[in-house]
Amino acid sequence: MKGGSADPDASSRPKLNGKIALVTGAGRGIGEEIALSLGRAGAFVFLCARTESQLAKVENKIRRIGGRAESVTADVSRDDDVKALFETIKRRKKRLDILVNNAGVGHFGPIEDCTAAEFDEMMAVNARGVFICCREALRLMSPSRGGVIINIASVLGIKGYAGQIGYTASKHAVVGVTKALAAEVRSHNIYVSVILPGGVDTEMVRLSRPDLDRKSLLKPGDVAQAVMYLLSLSPRAWVDSIHIRRRGSEPF
Ligand code: NAP
């Protein structure tokens, strides 16, 4: 698997032709791989992040593999940006079938070094951003077509690690939002899941945990593969949460 790209066996790959998807935080790392997988499977993919140049590169990659994508620059912690993002999707495609809430930030270190501004930023992007995007997405999803929302939390959505207090709080909130929303839309043909990955080899981990051996980390494609698994489930089955850990790391 080159560069961590998820390219599961074509026979088990979901067919997403005609589906409209949005991936937040699609400019690099895990979000980029999820967007590529969705594009490869035939979905039209809206790509969102704050850095236009990174989105343009991902959009070009999707085009080169024969997919279709469109970039929308937006900060998911800013209400006006999110409103404009969903207005663009409505204007361009009238509906949304798949939302992957992947945008996230992390500030790591002991509690005495964690500023309130850093804590607030993690809650605003990782937790509040997921809530607002879910709310706006539901307005574009219809019970007749159905819809899927996949939130990328972290193993820290259920565990607590030293030096990651604000990040852990924000990812627990993502799990909470997912659970409550899944219950709220259960009769609307809309299905909500959370993926909880352990350490993944991306810029976030390279900057925050330079001590980790990169060879031991998951690849972004491992998370993309879990997203594609959820989208390939039969109409009878749904999976509420997927916990992906590094082999050799602590189970459960
Ligand atoms: P990354 O390489 O830093 O990528 C994060 C992406 O999110 C970038 O495209 C970034 O683009 C975007 N983003 C950040 N803040 C944003 C905002 N306010 N509005 C819109 N987009 C924003 O990180 P990653 O490792 O791929 O992480 C992706 C997700 O997986 C995050 O939610 C992270 O918490 C989660 N996760 C990561 C790991 C890991 O070990 N790497 C493990 C478990 C879970 P801009 O900066 O241009 O906006």
Side-chain angles (χ1 to χ4, degrees):
M1 214 179 274
K2 198 180 168 195
S5 293
D7 189 11
D9 172 37
S11 60
S12 60
R13 198 184 296 158
K15 310 272 185 296
L16 301 179
N17 297 315
K19 300 286 185 192
I20 312 297
L22 165 63
V23 181
T24 69
R28 59 178 187 264
I30 295 169
E32 173 178 357
E33 284 302 321
I34 293 170
L36 283 165
S37 293
L38 291 169
R40 199 179 283 124
F44 184 102
V45 194
F46 284 97
L47 312 167
C48 147
R50 294 168 300 179
T51 311
E52 201 175 347
S53 57
Q54 293 187 344
L55 291 178
K57 278 187 193 155
V58 178
E59 192 180 318
N60 282 333
K61 278 190 193 176
I62 292 177
R63 294 235 166 88
R64 281 203 298 276
I65 56 174
R68 291 168 308 144
E70 183 172 321
S71 304
V72 185
T73 310
D75 180 334
V76 297
S77 69
R78 296 175 63 96
D79 293 4
D80 287 353
D81 281 16
V82 175
K83 204 166 160 230
L85 164 67
F86 282 90
E87 273 167 7
T88 300
I89 297 171
K90 187 175 182 191
R91 193 176 60 250
R92 293 276 296 109
K93 296 289 175 188
K94 303 210 166 29
R95 60 167 219 276
L96 185 66
D97 302 303
I98 300 161
L99 165 65
V100 183
N101 278 310
N102 165 80
V105 289
H107 298 286
F108 305 106
I111 185 167
E112 56 270 29
D113 295 341
C114 181
T115 67
E118 287 172 340
F119 188 95
D120 288 348
E121 188 195 357
M122 287 184 277
M123 294 305 284
V125 177
N126 302 357
R128 190 171 175 279
V130 170
F131 152 67
I132 297 180
C133 288
C134 286
R135 190 188 63 198
E136 296 306 311
L138 289 174
R139 300 188 210 279
L140 296 183
M141 290 179 174
S142 74
S144 60
R145 288 188 59 88
V148 168
I149 296 177
I150 299 171
N151 296 328
I152 309 300
S154 159
V155 64
L156 292 170
I158 48 171
K159 290 185 175 181
Y161 287 167
Q164 309 206 17
I165 195 153
Y167 187 76
T168 300
S170 71
K171 292 300 187 178
H172 270 64
V174 174
V175 174
V177 166
T178 308
K179 286 181 178 175
L181 185 63
E184 196 160 322
V185 298
R186 64 181 284 195
S187 59
H188 299 177
N189 198 20
I190 292 167
Y191 289 88
V192 191
S193 274
V194 64
I195 299 179
L196 306 110
V200 184
D201 186 11
T202 67
E203 184 175 310
M204 182 185 280
V205 165
R206 284 195 287 276
L207 295 177
S208 62
R209 296 292 310 273
D211 54 307
L212 286 180
D213 173 12
R214 287 180 57 188
K215 285 199 289 296
S216 73
L217 295 172
L218 298 166
K219 297 286 181 200
D222 297 323
V223 183
Q225 210 163 36
V227 169
M228 300 314 276
Y229 165 71
L230 287 169
L231 294 172
S232 70
L233 289 169
S234 84
R236 295 174 302 281
W238 190 247
V239 173
D240 293 325
S241 68
I242 298 180
H243 181 175
I244 314 172
R245 68 180 176 87
R246 293 179 289 123
R247 290 194 192 209
S249 67
E250 189 194 340
F252 297 97

